Amino acid sequence: MPEKQEKGKHGSVFMEAKKLEILMTAVDLGSFSKASEVVGYTQSGLTHLVNSLEREIGFPLIRRSYSGIALTEAGENLLPDIRQFLQANATLENKIQAVREQQEESIRVAAYASIAMYWMPEILYRFRRLCPKVDVDLRMVDHALEPFELLQSGKTDVIFASRQKEPKCEWIPLYHELLYAILPKQYPLNGRKEFPLREFEGKDFLMPYGRFDIDVHAAFAKEGVRAKEQSVYVDDETVIRMVGEGLGISMMSELMIRGNTEDVYCVPVSPTCIREIGMGMKPGAEESESIAKLTKCVMQFVSTLNKGRNVSLK
């Protein structure tokens, strides 16, 4: 049974070119032993490769003697065409590589819905001016931990999310979001500009979905608060409307409460609570030039948000 033709990652043409290239190296050096040192094959492996090539072609190309190797008459006849083929193959490989390098690069980004809506348009506008040929594949998520899961599984390159204890990633802090109490207009605030966390105790509380309860529970835990939690599987705007109808109260970060808030009070909680928004990348991942430029655009944008702000934990 004839031996199957060897195939490489670029197919049989690539492998034939590789075999012919090694053959020419051996012929030019006059021996398999010298060629094996150059091409990185063992002498027996190189001999096997040339024997395989001769079987595929159907006739011998090499004469072996004590003094070394040389081309057979058939090999000599093919020599000009072999060298021409190898030169053409090298030119093709170079052109293929050039095309690969000219193709548009893509950066995969995963961000919370609020960040995707209120931050990313301006950031991407800035980035497009710096890197017009780099495409950004923006994925909006509505689960607090999903960006980290996507990053760990290799399905995204950059995330914008709130800081979590796990999983670990290369983290760049960007912005401290205040947490606000969301209250119906009939709530007796009596002119207060802050809402004590302890006042959530025992009240009907509409818990935002998508594991954003992590931030709420962290704030409650500091004050030992236990509210009557009701999980609602709707978006943030719907939660706000439910609060406006007197169905309960809630707590959200500032990016989550943008929109229609005419029927509710949005009051910072006391003691001050924040969640840290940041940019994450996989640990140990080499930062490309385009991601470095994206980071620069992000930092420039965030500097405009932080200008004049003084948000710190009490």
Side-chain angles (χ1 to χ4, degrees):
M1 181 179 293
E3 181 177 324
K4 288 184 179 179
Q5 186 171 341
E6 226 177 332
K7 290 187 178 181
K9 62 181 179 180
H10 294 298
S12 60
V13 171
F14 172 83
M15 288 307 295
E16 290 299 341
K18 189 67 177 177
K19 289 179 181 179
L20 290 171
E21 183 180 328
I22 291 173
L23 172 67
M24 290 296 97
T25 300
V27 169
D28 291 340
L29 293 175
S31 75
F32 286 144
S33 61
K34 291 180 181 179
S36 66
E37 296 175 4
V38 174
V39 301
Y41 281 65
T42 63
Q43 185 172 343
S44 60
L46 195 151
T47 301
H48 175 76
L49 185 146
V50 173
N51 289 342
S52 172
L53 177 61
E54 289 179 325
R55 286 195 296 271
E56 291 167 12
I57 291 176
F59 51 82
L61 297 170
I62 292 290
R63 292 197 311 269
R64 298 159 176 82
S65 67
Y66 289 111
S67 59
I69 62 170
L71 288 172
T72 62
E73 183 178 351
E76 290 285 357
N77 289 335
L78 291 177
L79 182 60
D81 296 302
I82 291 174
R83 295 198 185 278
Q84 185 178 358
F85 170 76
L86 290 175
Q87 181 58 49
N89 185 74
T91 301
L92 176 61
E93 287 287 329
N94 290 336
K95 287 185 177 179
I96 289 173
Q97 182 60 32
V99 170
R100 286 195 189 114
E101 292 175 355
Q102 290 174 2
Q103 287 180 334
E104 290 188 353
E105 183 184 352
S106 179
I107 301 175
R108 300 167 299 169
V109 174
Y112 290 166
S114 55
I115 298 173
M117 291 171 62
Y118 300 115
W119 284 20
M120 295 311 299
E122 174 66 20
I123 290 171
L124 295 182
Y125 169 74
R126 293 168 182 256
F127 181 68
R128 181 58 58 85
R129 294 173 66 184
L130 286 180
C131 302
K133 292 185 177 181
V134 180
D135 182 49
V136 177
D137 180 10
L138 178 59
R139 178 171 180 170
M140 184 185 294
V141 301
D142 54 10
H143 188 290
L145 302 180
E146 186 177 358
F148 299 92
E149 294 167 355
L150 292 171
L151 191 65
Q152 291 301 308
S153 64
K155 294 180 180 178
T156 194
D157 304 305
V158 177
I159 64 170
F160 293 92
S162 64
R163 188 166 196 162
Q164 306 294 333
K165 292 182 179 179
E166 296 291 343
K168 303 294 184 182
C169 67
E170 296 291 339
W171 184 256
I172 303 174
L174 299 176
Y175 187 79
H176 283 173
E177 274 193 290
L178 287 171
L179 296 185
Y180 287 76
I182 314 299
L183 311 167
K185 279 294 179 71
Q186 63 269 28
Y187 193 91
L189 269 177
N190 301 320
R192 290 177 294 172
K193 301 299 183 182
E194 293 182 335
F195 187 83
L197 278 169
R198 289 191 179 91
E199 205 162 322
F200 283 108
E201 182 73 35
K203 291 186 172 60
D204 292 332
F205 187 90
L206 303 178
M207 182 66 75
Y209 87 113
R211 292 315 318 275
F212 291 106
D213 62 313
I214 295 172
D215 302 314
V216 173
H217 284 148
F220 282 174
K222 289 182 180 180
E223 298 297 310
V225 173
R226 291 187 178 182
K228 295 179 181 178
E229 297 179 12
Q230 302 175 36
S231 296
V232 285
Y233 299 96
V234 294
D235 59 23
D236 302 332
E237 187 174 353
T238 303
V239 172
I240 293 172
R241 292 175 63 187
M242 292 173 69
V243 171
E245 294 296 330
L247 299 175
I249 60 178
S250 190
M251 182 163 61
M252 298 179 180
S253 68
E254 59 186 271
L255 284 179
M256 296 169 69
I257 61 177
R258 299 191 182 190
N260 186 7
T261 57
E262 294 179 0
D263 298 327
V264 297
Y265 290 127
C266 299
V267 186
V269 298
S270 177
T272 300
C273 292
I274 64 169
R275 72 170 184 172
E276 183 179 284
I277 297 296
M279 178 178 178
M281 288 164 282
K282 198 165 184 178
E286 184 175 349
E287 185 181 69
S288 67
E289 182 180 350
S290 56
I291 289 181
K293 289 182 178 179
L294 176 62
T295 303
K296 179 181 178 181
C297 292
V298 171
M299 300 305 292
Q300 289 174 342
F301 170 75
V302 170
S303 69
T304 66
L305 301 179
N306 287 324
K307 191 175 182 179
R309 276 178 107 234
N310 183 23
V311 178
S312 59
L313 285 171
K314 292 182 180 178

